[in-house]
């Protein structure tokens, strides 16, 4: 993260300001004198901290400086704007920490989280993810777009020419075919959990794959293909493109990646040995829309200053500032000096509004699927087979709770690659040998027992027993801890539709005390509990995960457990 205040510009270059009475260069020492000349009636200061996506920050900074020097004031109080060039993922982590949200792949901030007054990330997807991640009180003001950059597929020009660029029209479905064929186009992405352009490309590619032949298999194939050439930062991904046009280098290098149009134009502006062509596949991917978000709790004076700054950033002249940075105006049109990529559609045809295209469920599925497909882990899956799991689910065409649960587990299993180690248990009460659980498949590598797990899932049936939850949780914890693997995230995922109901088992107090006794910080086991239906006790589940780590998730609609399962796996803490 790099910061630049208007009176100490170390990271953001701003042109000198011409005064109406002549040319006057505003220096650090002369700022306040000039302020008095420009606005003699303003006194004191309202300090507005603005965090802006790095590529947009110079335009915001220079416009804010010009506004200040012209006498920016709120109710007679001078306005001072501090602009910080910030990677959106860093601010998202800070806001998430402040509002109690959890975002897969974003990570945690260290120390106290101090957010800005105004945040301009590169995409509304960040605001949507924060709300979906549990920041229920996060209601930023405004949120209107101040800039735009379509998401394109960057392809080295020699390869793009072979694909028919610039005359050929491209589709995301065709790209899925290129990625998944026998001689695949080597595609990559910036980690979509941390990058909005990567997320937009993943959403478009996943939608095309799911709608085509193969459905989930095509989607998983595309995820795996992208993950082989992924990067955590844009510059790392851009460095994977060919540095020479010789056949060997071209074959070894990255052949396609979703980028913002601004990223691609900035890359080509450095005159690389192999420029990138911008492909605009249909339907258009969700563009970066740079929302102007006034964060909650800023106070009335700062809120008023923020509204005034927004007006400054939506003038016709600001569009020209954007153009110099290879960015478009919020309506998709461009200002003077914009370098239009060859093959770019007209501004009216570059897709619908960004916010209108974003769907929280689709975003959460894409992020979770990516996290699972690109991580590995060691997991014991435990499924409730008590009698109540026979109950039909009205919203699932009469399927039982058991069938809906098994369907979710089976679909999730397809996302895990062969590096995962998975085991399977079922539980109720009195399932033999005095136990409430039955071991169906011991934890082992999917590379050798995927078919065994799939077969075991199809054989699971509800019993007439009750819910031996506490005994089962303790036994599962001990089993995972016993063969704990240092190189993996070791976890338990348990599905249940009821409270503990076992008169012959241990009590809640005994379970918690025993988990406290045996847990080992050197060998952590995360427990994820997924409650189905209205009979589940949230307090009962949380008493367990408070000790073990992990989390509890409850839904009264069993049809939602598939998405909850994906989110729960994606939220596991890595590096344990």
């Amino acid at each position: 993260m790099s910061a630049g205040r208007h009176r100490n510009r170390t990271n953001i270059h701003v042109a000198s300001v011409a005064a109406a009475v002549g040319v006057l260069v505003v220096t650090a020492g002369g700022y306040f004198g000039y302020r008095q000349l420009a606005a003699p009636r303003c006194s004191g200061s309202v300090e507005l901290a603005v965090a802006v996506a790095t590529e947009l920050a110079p335009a915001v900074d220079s416009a804010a400086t010009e506004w200040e020097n012209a006498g920016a004031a709120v109710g007679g109080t001078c306005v001072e704007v501090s602009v910080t060039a910030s990677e959106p993922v860093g601010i998202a982590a800070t806001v998430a920490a402040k509002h109690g949200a959890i975002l897969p792949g974003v990570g945690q901030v260290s120390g106290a989280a101090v957010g800005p007054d105004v945040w301009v990330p590169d995409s509304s997807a960040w605001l949507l993810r924060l709300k979906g991640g549990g920041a229920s009180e996060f209601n930023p003001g405004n949120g209107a777009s101040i800039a735009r950059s379509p998401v394109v597929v960057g392809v080295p020009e020699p390869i793009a020419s072979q694909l028919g660029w610039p005359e050929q029209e491209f589709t995301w479905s065709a790209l899925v075919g290129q990625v998944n064929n026998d001689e695949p186009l080597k595609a990559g992405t910036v980690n979509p959990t941390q990058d909005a352009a990567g997320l937009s490309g993943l959403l478009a590619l996943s939608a095309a794959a799911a709608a085509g032949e193969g459905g989930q298999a095509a989607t998983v194939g595309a995820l795996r293909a992208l993950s082989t050439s992924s990067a955590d930062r844009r510059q790392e991904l851009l460095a994977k493109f060919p540095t020479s046009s010789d056949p060997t280098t071209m074959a070894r290098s990255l052949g396609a990646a979703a980028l913002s149009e601004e990223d691609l134009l900035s890359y080509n502006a450095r005159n690389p040995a192999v420029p990138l062509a911008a492909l605009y596949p249909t339907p258009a991917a969700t563009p970066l829309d740079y929302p102007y978000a006034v964060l909650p709790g800023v106070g009335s004076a700062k809120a008023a200053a923020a509204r005034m700054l927004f007006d400054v950033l939506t003038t016709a002249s600001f569009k020209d500032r954007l153009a110099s940075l290879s960015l478009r105006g919020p309506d998709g049109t461009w200002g003077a000096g914009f370098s239009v990529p060859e093959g770019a559609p007209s501004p009216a045809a570059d897709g619908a509004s960004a916010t209108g295209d974003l769907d929280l469920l689709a975003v959460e599925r894409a992020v979770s699927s990516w996290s699972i497909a690109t991580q590995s882990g060691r997991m014991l899956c435990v499924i409730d087979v008590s009698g109540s799991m026979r109950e039909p689910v009205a919203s699932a065409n009469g399927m039982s709770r058991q069938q809906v649960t098994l369907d979710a587990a089976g679909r999730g299993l397809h996302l895990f690659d062969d590096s995962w180690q998975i085991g399977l248990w079922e539980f109720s009460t009195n399932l033999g040998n005095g136990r409430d659980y039955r071991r169906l498949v011991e934890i082992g590598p999917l590379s050798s027992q995927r078919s065994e797990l799939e077969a075991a899932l199809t054989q699971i049936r509800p019993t007439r027993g009750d819910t031996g939850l506490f005994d089962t949780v303790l036994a599962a914890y001990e089993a995972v801890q016993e063969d704990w693997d240092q190189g993996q995230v070791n976890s338990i995922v348990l599905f249940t539709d009821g409270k503990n109901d076992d008169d012959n088992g241990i009590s809640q107090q005994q379970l918690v005390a025993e988990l406290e006794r045996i847990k080992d910080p050197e060998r952590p086991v995360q427990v994820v509990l997924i409650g189905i239906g209205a009979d589940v006790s949230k307090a009962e589940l949380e008493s367990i995960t408070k000790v073990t780590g992990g989390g509890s998730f409850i839904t009264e609609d069993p049809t939602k457990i598939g998405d909850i399962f994906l989110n729960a796996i994606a939220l596991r803490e890595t590096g344990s």
Side-chain angles (χ1 to χ4, degrees), residues 255-312:
L259 303 167
S260 72
E261 186 182 68
E262 180 276 330
D263 278 330
L264 185 141
L265 289 171
S266 296
Y267 180 86
N268 285 346
R270 296 193 288 271
N271 296 313
V274 183
L276 298 180
L279 308 188
Y280 295 77
T282 56
T286 303
L288 303 187
D289 66 321
Y290 299 92
Y292 186 88
V294 182
L295 300 190
V298 298
S300 58
K302 287 186 177 182
R307 287 193 296 271
M308 295 173 70
L309 178 59
F310 174 77
D311 291 340
V312 170

Short mmCIF file of all heavy atoms in Angstrom, two decimals, residues 255-312:
data_model
loop_
_atom_site.label_atom_id
_atom_site.label_comp_id
_atom_site.label_asym_id
_atom_site.label_seq_id
_atom_site.Cartn_x
_atom_site.Cartn_y
_atom_site.Cartn_z
N GLY A 255 -0.78 -17.99 -22.32
CA GLY A 255 -1.42 -17.71 -23.59
C GLY A 255 -2.71 -16.92 -23.50
O GLY A 255 -3.18 -16.37 -24.50
N ALA A 256 -3.29 -16.81 -22.31
CA ALA A 256 -4.54 -16.07 -22.16
C ALA A 256 -4.82 -15.82 -20.69
O ALA A 256 -4.52 -16.67 -19.84
CB ALA A 256 -5.72 -16.84 -22.78
N ALA A 257 -5.39 -14.67 -20.36
CA ALA A 257 -5.77 -14.35 -18.99
C ALA A 257 -6.78 -13.22 -18.99
O ALA A 257 -6.71 -12.31 -19.82
CB ALA A 257 -4.56 -13.95 -18.15
N ALA A 258 -7.73 -13.29 -18.07
CA ALA A 258 -8.68 -12.19 -17.90
C ALA A 258 -7.97 -11.03 -17.20
O ALA A 258 -7.35 -11.21 -16.15
CB ALA A 258 -9.88 -12.64 -17.07
N LEU A 259 -8.03 -9.86 -17.83
CA LEU A 259 -7.40 -8.65 -17.31
C LEU A 259 -8.37 -7.49 -17.47
O LEU A 259 -9.29 -7.55 -18.28
CB LEU A 259 -6.12 -8.33 -18.10
CG LEU A 259 -5.02 -9.38 -18.19
CD1 LEU A 259 -4.02 -8.98 -19.26
CD2 LEU A 259 -4.34 -9.54 -16.84
N SER A 260 -8.13 -6.44 -16.74
CA SER A 260 -8.87 -5.22 -17.05
C SER A 260 -8.27 -4.61 -18.31
O SER A 260 -7.09 -4.81 -18.62
CB SER A 260 -8.80 -4.23 -15.90
OG SER A 260 -7.50 -3.65 -15.81
N GLU A 261 -9.08 -3.88 -19.03
CA GLU A 261 -8.59 -3.19 -20.22
C GLU A 261 -7.44 -2.26 -19.87
O GLU A 261 -6.46 -2.15 -20.61
CB GLU A 261 -9.75 -2.39 -20.83
CG GLU A 261 -9.46 -1.71 -22.15
CD GLU A 261 -10.66 -0.92 -22.62
OE1 GLU A 261 -10.99 0.09 -21.96
OE2 GLU A 261 -11.28 -1.31 -23.63
N GLU A 262 -7.53 -1.64 -18.71
CA GLU A 262 -6.46 -0.75 -18.24
C GLU A 262 -5.16 -1.50 -18.03
O GLU A 262 -4.09 -1.03 -18.40
CB GLU A 262 -6.89 -0.06 -16.94
CG GLU A 262 -5.88 0.90 -16.35
CD GLU A 262 -4.82 0.23 -15.48
OE1 GLU A 262 -5.15 -0.81 -14.86
OE2 GLU A 262 -3.68 0.74 -15.42
N ASP A 263 -5.25 -2.70 -17.44
CA ASP A 263 -4.05 -3.53 -17.25
C ASP A 263 -3.37 -3.81 -18.59
O ASP A 263 -2.15 -3.71 -18.73
CB ASP A 263 -4.41 -4.87 -16.60
CG ASP A 263 -4.55 -4.78 -15.10
OD1 ASP A 263 -3.87 -3.94 -14.49
OD2 ASP A 263 -5.34 -5.55 -14.54
N LEU A 264 -4.18 -4.20 -19.57
CA LEU A 264 -3.63 -4.57 -20.87
C LEU A 264 -3.01 -3.37 -21.57
O LEU A 264 -1.90 -3.45 -22.12
CB LEU A 264 -4.73 -5.19 -21.73
CG LEU A 264 -4.29 -5.76 -23.08
CD1 LEU A 264 -5.02 -7.06 -23.38
CD2 LEU A 264 -4.55 -4.75 -24.20
N LEU A 265 -3.69 -2.22 -21.55
CA LEU A 265 -3.15 -1.03 -22.20
C LEU A 265 -1.86 -0.57 -21.51
O LEU A 265 -0.91 -0.15 -22.18
CB LEU A 265 -4.19 0.08 -22.18
CG LEU A 265 -5.39 -0.13 -23.12
CD1 LEU A 265 -6.46 0.93 -22.87
CD2 LEU A 265 -4.95 -0.09 -24.58
N SER A 266 -1.83 -0.65 -20.19
CA SER A 266 -0.63 -0.25 -19.46
C SER A 266 0.53 -1.19 -19.78
O SER A 266 1.68 -0.77 -19.90
CB SER A 266 -0.90 -0.24 -17.95
OG SER A 266 -1.88 0.72 -17.63
N TYR A 267 0.23 -2.48 -19.92
CA TYR A 267 1.25 -3.47 -20.28
C TYR A 267 1.83 -3.15 -21.65
O TYR A 267 3.05 -3.11 -21.84
CB TYR A 267 0.63 -4.87 -20.26
CG TYR A 267 1.58 -5.99 -20.61
CD1 TYR A 267 2.38 -6.57 -19.64
CD2 TYR A 267 1.65 -6.49 -21.91
CE1 TYR A 267 3.24 -7.61 -19.94
CE2 TYR A 267 2.52 -7.53 -22.23
CZ TYR A 267 3.31 -8.09 -21.24
OH TYR A 267 4.17 -9.12 -21.54
N ASN A 268 0.95 -2.92 -22.62
CA ASN A 268 1.42 -2.63 -23.97
C ASN A 268 2.14 -1.30 -24.07
O ASN A 268 3.01 -1.11 -24.94
CB ASN A 268 0.24 -2.66 -24.95
CG ASN A 268 -0.23 -4.07 -25.26
OD1 ASN A 268 0.47 -5.04 -24.96
ND2 ASN A 268 -1.40 -4.19 -25.85
N ALA A 269 1.82 -0.36 -23.19
CA ALA A 269 2.47 0.95 -23.21
C ALA A 269 3.95 0.85 -22.87
O ALA A 269 4.73 1.75 -23.17
CB ALA A 269 1.77 1.91 -22.24
N ARG A 270 4.35 -0.28 -22.25
CA ARG A 270 5.76 -0.48 -21.92
C ARG A 270 6.53 -1.11 -23.07
O ARG A 270 7.69 -1.50 -22.92
CB ARG A 270 5.86 -1.36 -20.66
CG ARG A 270 5.26 -0.72 -19.42
CD ARG A 270 5.66 -1.45 -18.15
NE ARG A 270 5.01 -2.74 -18.02
CZ ARG A 270 3.84 -2.95 -17.43
NH1 ARG A 270 3.16 -1.91 -16.94
NH2 ARG A 270 3.33 -4.16 -17.32
N ASN A 271 5.87 -1.22 -24.23
CA ASN A 271 6.50 -1.75 -25.44
C ASN A 271 7.14 -3.13 -25.23
O ASN A 271 8.34 -3.32 -25.46
CB ASN A 271 7.55 -0.77 -25.99
CG ASN A 271 6.94 0.54 -26.44
OD1 ASN A 271 5.93 0.55 -27.14
ND2 ASN A 271 7.56 1.64 -26.02
N PRO A 272 6.34 -4.12 -24.82
CA PRO A 272 6.89 -5.46 -24.62
C PRO A 272 7.27 -6.09 -25.96
O PRO A 272 6.77 -5.68 -27.02
CB PRO A 272 5.73 -6.21 -23.96
CG PRO A 272 4.51 -5.51 -24.48
CD PRO A 272 4.89 -4.06 -24.58
N ALA A 273 8.12 -7.09 -25.92
CA ALA A 273 8.53 -7.78 -27.14
C ALA A 273 7.33 -8.42 -27.84
O ALA A 273 7.28 -8.48 -29.07
CB ALA A 273 9.58 -8.84 -26.81
N VAL A 274 6.36 -8.88 -27.05
CA VAL A 274 5.15 -9.48 -27.60
C VAL A 274 3.94 -8.76 -27.00
O VAL A 274 3.55 -9.04 -25.87
CB VAL A 274 5.07 -10.99 -27.29
CG1 VAL A 274 3.81 -11.60 -27.95
CG2 VAL A 274 6.31 -11.72 -27.74
N PRO A 275 3.34 -7.82 -27.73
CA PRO A 275 2.17 -7.11 -27.19
C PRO A 275 0.98 -8.05 -27.00
O PRO A 275 0.92 -9.13 -27.61
CB PRO A 275 1.87 -6.06 -28.27
CG PRO A 275 3.10 -5.98 -29.10
CD PRO A 275 3.73 -7.33 -29.05
N LEU A 276 0.05 -7.61 -26.19
CA LEU A 276 -1.16 -8.39 -25.94
C LEU A 276 -2.32 -7.83 -26.75
O LEU A 276 -2.51 -6.61 -26.84
CB LEU A 276 -1.54 -8.35 -24.46
CG LEU A 276 -0.54 -8.95 -23.47
CD1 LEU A 276 -1.08 -8.84 -22.04
CD2 LEU A 276 -0.23 -10.40 -23.82
N ALA A 277 -3.09 -8.72 -27.34
CA ALA A 277 -4.34 -8.34 -27.99
C ALA A 277 -5.45 -8.40 -26.95
O ALA A 277 -5.44 -9.26 -26.06
CB ALA A 277 -4.65 -9.29 -29.14
N ALA A 278 -6.41 -7.49 -27.05
CA ALA A 278 -7.56 -7.48 -26.15
C ALA A 278 -8.74 -8.15 -26.84
O ALA A 278 -9.25 -7.65 -27.84
CB ALA A 278 -7.92 -6.06 -25.75
N LEU A 279 -9.15 -9.31 -26.33
CA LEU A 279 -10.35 -9.97 -26.84
C LEU A 279 -11.52 -9.60 -25.92
O LEU A 279 -11.37 -9.57 -24.70
CB LEU A 279 -10.18 -11.49 -26.86
CG LEU A 279 -8.92 -12.05 -27.55
CD1 LEU A 279 -9.03 -13.57 -27.63
CD2 LEU A 279 -8.73 -11.45 -28.92
N TYR A 280 -12.67 -9.34 -26.51
CA TYR A 280 -13.86 -8.94 -25.77
C TYR A 280 -14.94 -10.02 -25.97
O TYR A 280 -15.87 -9.84 -26.75
CB TYR A 280 -14.38 -7.59 -26.26
CG TYR A 280 -13.44 -6.44 -26.00
CD1 TYR A 280 -12.31 -6.23 -26.79
CD2 TYR A 280 -13.68 -5.54 -24.96
CE1 TYR A 280 -11.45 -5.17 -26.55
CE2 TYR A 280 -12.81 -4.47 -24.71
CZ TYR A 280 -11.70 -4.30 -25.51
OH TYR A 280 -10.85 -3.24 -25.28
N PRO A 281 -14.81 -11.17 -25.27
CA PRO A 281 -15.77 -12.26 -25.49
C PRO A 281 -17.19 -11.87 -25.09
O PRO A 281 -17.40 -11.05 -24.19
CB PRO A 281 -15.24 -13.39 -24.59
CG PRO A 281 -13.84 -13.02 -24.27
CD PRO A 281 -13.81 -11.53 -24.26
N THR A 282 -18.16 -12.48 -25.76
CA THR A 282 -19.56 -12.29 -25.42
C THR A 282 -20.08 -13.54 -24.69
O THR A 282 -19.62 -14.65 -24.96
CB THR A 282 -20.40 -12.05 -26.68
OG1 THR A 282 -20.22 -13.14 -27.59
CG2 THR A 282 -20.00 -10.75 -27.35
N PRO A 283 -21.04 -13.36 -23.77
CA PRO A 283 -21.54 -12.08 -23.29
C PRO A 283 -20.47 -11.35 -22.47
O PRO A 283 -19.60 -11.99 -21.89
CB PRO A 283 -22.73 -12.48 -22.41
CG PRO A 283 -22.41 -13.87 -21.96
CD PRO A 283 -21.68 -14.52 -23.10
N ALA A 284 -20.55 -10.03 -22.45
CA ALA A 284 -19.51 -9.23 -21.81
C ALA A 284 -19.36 -9.60 -20.34
O ALA A 284 -20.35 -9.77 -19.62
CB ALA A 284 -19.84 -7.75 -21.94
N ALA A 285 -18.12 -9.74 -19.91
CA ALA A 285 -17.85 -9.97 -18.49
C ALA A 285 -18.17 -8.71 -17.70
O ALA A 285 -18.18 -7.60 -18.24
CB ALA A 285 -16.38 -10.35 -18.29
N THR A 286 -18.44 -8.88 -16.41
CA THR A 286 -18.72 -7.73 -15.56
C THR A 286 -17.51 -6.81 -15.51
O THR A 286 -16.42 -7.24 -15.13
CB THR A 286 -19.05 -8.19 -14.13
OG1 THR A 286 -20.15 -9.09 -14.16
CG2 THR A 286 -19.39 -7.00 -13.25
N PRO A 287 -17.65 -5.54 -15.92
CA PRO A 287 -16.50 -4.64 -15.93
C PRO A 287 -16.13 -4.17 -14.53
O PRO A 287 -16.91 -4.29 -13.59
CB PRO A 287 -16.99 -3.46 -16.78
CG PRO A 287 -18.47 -3.45 -16.58
CD PRO A 287 -18.88 -4.89 -16.41
N LEU A 288 -14.93 -3.65 -14.39
CA LEU A 288 -14.56 -2.95 -13.16
C LEU A 288 -15.28 -1.61 -13.18
O LEU A 288 -15.22 -0.88 -14.16
CB LEU A 288 -13.04 -2.75 -13.09
CG LEU A 288 -12.18 -4.01 -13.19
CD1 LEU A 288 -10.71 -3.67 -12.93
CD2 LEU A 288 -12.66 -5.09 -12.25
N ASP A 289 -15.95 -1.28 -12.08
CA ASP A 289 -16.81 -0.08 -12.08
C ASP A 289 -16.42 0.99 -11.07
O ASP A 289 -17.06 2.02 -11.00
CB ASP A 289 -18.26 -0.48 -11.86
CG ASP A 289 -18.49 -1.07 -10.46
OD1 ASP A 289 -17.62 -1.82 -9.98
OD2 ASP A 289 -19.54 -0.79 -9.86
N TYR A 290 -15.40 0.77 -10.25
CA TYR A 290 -14.84 1.78 -9.35
C TYR A 290 -15.93 2.53 -8.58
O TYR A 290 -16.15 3.73 -8.78
CB TYR A 290 -13.95 2.75 -10.13
CG TYR A 290 -12.78 2.05 -10.79
CD1 TYR A 290 -12.88 1.57 -12.11
CD2 TYR A 290 -11.60 1.82 -10.11
CE1 TYR A 290 -11.82 0.90 -12.71
CE2 TYR A 290 -10.54 1.15 -10.71
CZ TYR A 290 -10.66 0.69 -12.01
OH TYR A 290 -9.62 0.03 -12.61
N PRO A 291 -16.62 1.85 -7.66
CA PRO A 291 -17.69 2.51 -6.89
C PRO A 291 -17.12 3.48 -5.85
O PRO A 291 -16.08 3.22 -5.24
CB PRO A 291 -18.39 1.34 -6.21
CG PRO A 291 -17.30 0.31 -6.05
CD PRO A 291 -16.45 0.44 -7.28
N TYR A 292 -17.81 4.57 -5.66
CA TYR A 292 -17.42 5.60 -4.69
C TYR A 292 -18.20 5.31 -3.41
O TYR A 292 -19.37 5.66 -3.29
CB TYR A 292 -17.76 6.98 -5.25
CG TYR A 292 -17.29 8.15 -4.41
CD1 TYR A 292 -16.02 8.69 -4.59
CD2 TYR A 292 -18.14 8.75 -3.49
CE1 TYR A 292 -15.60 9.79 -3.86
CE2 TYR A 292 -17.72 9.85 -2.74
CZ TYR A 292 -16.45 10.37 -2.93
OH TYR A 292 -16.04 11.47 -2.21
N ALA A 293 -17.57 4.64 -2.46
CA ALA A 293 -18.25 4.17 -1.26
C ALA A 293 -17.86 5.01 -0.05
O ALA A 293 -16.69 5.03 0.36
CB ALA A 293 -17.89 2.71 -0.99
N VAL A 294 -18.84 5.71 0.52
CA VAL A 294 -18.62 6.48 1.75
C VAL A 294 -18.88 5.52 2.91
O VAL A 294 -20.00 5.02 3.07
CB VAL A 294 -19.56 7.69 1.82
CG1 VAL A 294 -19.29 8.50 3.08
CG2 VAL A 294 -19.42 8.57 0.58
N LEU A 295 -17.86 5.24 3.69
CA LEU A 295 -17.99 4.20 4.71
C LEU A 295 -18.81 4.68 5.89
O LEU A 295 -18.87 5.88 6.20
CB LEU A 295 -16.60 3.75 5.15
CG LEU A 295 -15.73 3.16 4.04
CD1 LEU A 295 -14.48 2.51 4.60
CD2 LEU A 295 -16.49 2.14 3.20
N PRO A 296 -19.49 3.75 6.57
CA PRO A 296 -20.37 4.12 7.69
C PRO A 296 -19.61 4.82 8.81
O PRO A 296 -18.44 4.54 9.07
CB PRO A 296 -20.91 2.76 8.15
CG PRO A 296 -20.73 1.84 7.00
CD PRO A 296 -19.50 2.31 6.30
N GLY A 297 -20.32 5.73 9.49
CA GLY A 297 -19.78 6.37 10.69
C GLY A 297 -18.81 7.51 10.46
O GLY A 297 -18.04 7.84 11.38
N VAL A 298 -18.82 8.14 9.29
CA VAL A 298 -17.84 9.20 9.03
C VAL A 298 -18.24 10.54 9.63
O VAL A 298 -17.42 11.45 9.72
CB VAL A 298 -17.61 9.38 7.51
CG1 VAL A 298 -17.05 8.11 6.90
CG2 VAL A 298 -18.88 9.81 6.80
N GLY A 299 -19.48 10.72 10.04
CA GLY A 299 -19.91 11.99 10.60
C GLY A 299 -20.45 12.91 9.52
O GLY A 299 -20.12 12.78 8.33
N SER A 300 -21.25 13.87 9.93
CA SER A 300 -21.97 14.71 8.96
C SER A 300 -21.04 15.61 8.15
O SER A 300 -21.25 15.79 6.94
CB SER A 300 -23.01 15.57 9.69
OG SER A 300 -22.38 16.38 10.68
N ALA A 301 -20.00 16.18 8.76
CA ALA A 301 -19.12 17.08 8.03
C ALA A 301 -18.34 16.32 6.96
O ALA A 301 -18.23 16.77 5.81
CB ALA A 301 -18.16 17.78 9.00
N LYS A 302 -17.80 15.16 7.33
CA LYS A 302 -17.06 14.38 6.35
C LYS A 302 -17.99 13.85 5.25
O LYS A 302 -17.60 13.76 4.08
CB LYS A 302 -16.33 13.23 7.03
CG LYS A 302 -15.12 13.66 7.85
CD LYS A 302 -14.36 12.46 8.37
CE LYS A 302 -13.10 12.91 9.12
NZ LYS A 302 -12.31 11.75 9.60
N ALA A 303 -19.20 13.48 5.65
CA ALA A 303 -20.15 12.99 4.66
C ALA A 303 -20.47 14.08 3.64
O ALA A 303 -20.57 13.82 2.44
CB ALA A 303 -21.42 12.51 5.34
N ALA A 304 -20.62 15.31 4.11
CA ALA A 304 -20.88 16.43 3.20
C ALA A 304 -19.68 16.67 2.29
O ALA A 304 -19.84 16.91 1.08
CB ALA A 304 -21.21 17.69 4.01
N ALA A 305 -18.47 16.61 2.86
CA ALA A 305 -17.26 16.79 2.04
C ALA A 305 -17.15 15.67 1.01
O ALA A 305 -16.76 15.91 -0.14
CB ALA A 305 -16.03 16.80 2.95
N ALA A 306 -17.52 14.46 1.41
CA ALA A 306 -17.46 13.32 0.48
C ALA A 306 -18.42 13.51 -0.68
O ALA A 306 -18.09 13.18 -1.83
CB ALA A 306 -17.76 12.03 1.23
N ARG A 307 -19.60 14.04 -0.40
CA ARG A 307 -20.58 14.29 -1.47
C ARG A 307 -20.04 15.33 -2.45
O ARG A 307 -20.20 15.20 -3.68
CB ARG A 307 -21.92 14.76 -0.88
CG ARG A 307 -22.71 13.66 -0.19
CD ARG A 307 -24.14 14.09 0.08
NE ARG A 307 -24.21 15.21 1.01
CZ ARG A 307 -24.28 15.08 2.34
NH1 ARG A 307 -24.28 13.86 2.88
NH2 ARG A 307 -24.35 16.14 3.12
N MET A 308 -19.40 16.34 -1.93
CA MET A 308 -18.84 17.39 -2.80
C MET A 308 -17.69 16.84 -3.64
O MET A 308 -17.57 17.16 -4.83
CB MET A 308 -18.38 18.56 -1.94
CG MET A 308 -19.51 19.28 -1.21
SD MET A 308 -18.92 20.53 -0.05
CE MET A 308 -18.31 21.76 -1.18
N LEU A 309 -16.85 16.00 -3.04
CA LEU A 309 -15.75 15.42 -3.80
C LEU A 309 -16.29 14.52 -4.91
O LEU A 309 -15.75 14.49 -6.03
CB LEU A 309 -14.83 14.63 -2.87
CG LEU A 309 -13.65 13.91 -3.56
CD1 LEU A 309 -12.75 14.90 -4.30
CD2 LEU A 309 -12.84 13.11 -2.54
N PHE A 310 -17.36 13.78 -4.62
CA PHE A 310 -17.96 12.93 -5.66
C PHE A 310 -18.38 13.77 -6.86
O PHE A 310 -18.18 13.37 -8.02
CB PHE A 310 -19.16 12.18 -5.10
CG PHE A 310 -19.91 11.39 -6.13
CD1 PHE A 310 -19.41 10.18 -6.61
CD2 PHE A 310 -21.11 11.86 -6.64
CE1 PHE A 310 -20.10 9.46 -7.58
CE2 PHE A 310 -21.81 11.14 -7.61
CZ PHE A 310 -21.30 9.94 -8.07
N ASP A 311 -18.97 14.95 -6.60
CA ASP A 311 -19.37 15.82 -7.71
C ASP A 311 -18.17 16.23 -8.55
O ASP A 311 -18.25 16.32 -9.78
CB ASP A 311 -20.08 17.07 -7.17
CG ASP A 311 -21.46 16.75 -6.57
OD1 ASP A 311 -22.01 15.69 -6.91
OD2 ASP A 311 -21.94 17.55 -5.75
N VAL A 312 -17.05 16.48 -7.88
CA VAL A 312 -15.82 16.85 -8.59
C VAL A 312 -15.35 15.69 -9.49
O VAL A 312 -14.86 15.91 -10.60
CB VAL A 312 -14.71 17.20 -7.58
CG1 VAL A 312 -13.36 17.36 -8.27
CG2 VAL A 312 -15.08 18.48 -6.82
#
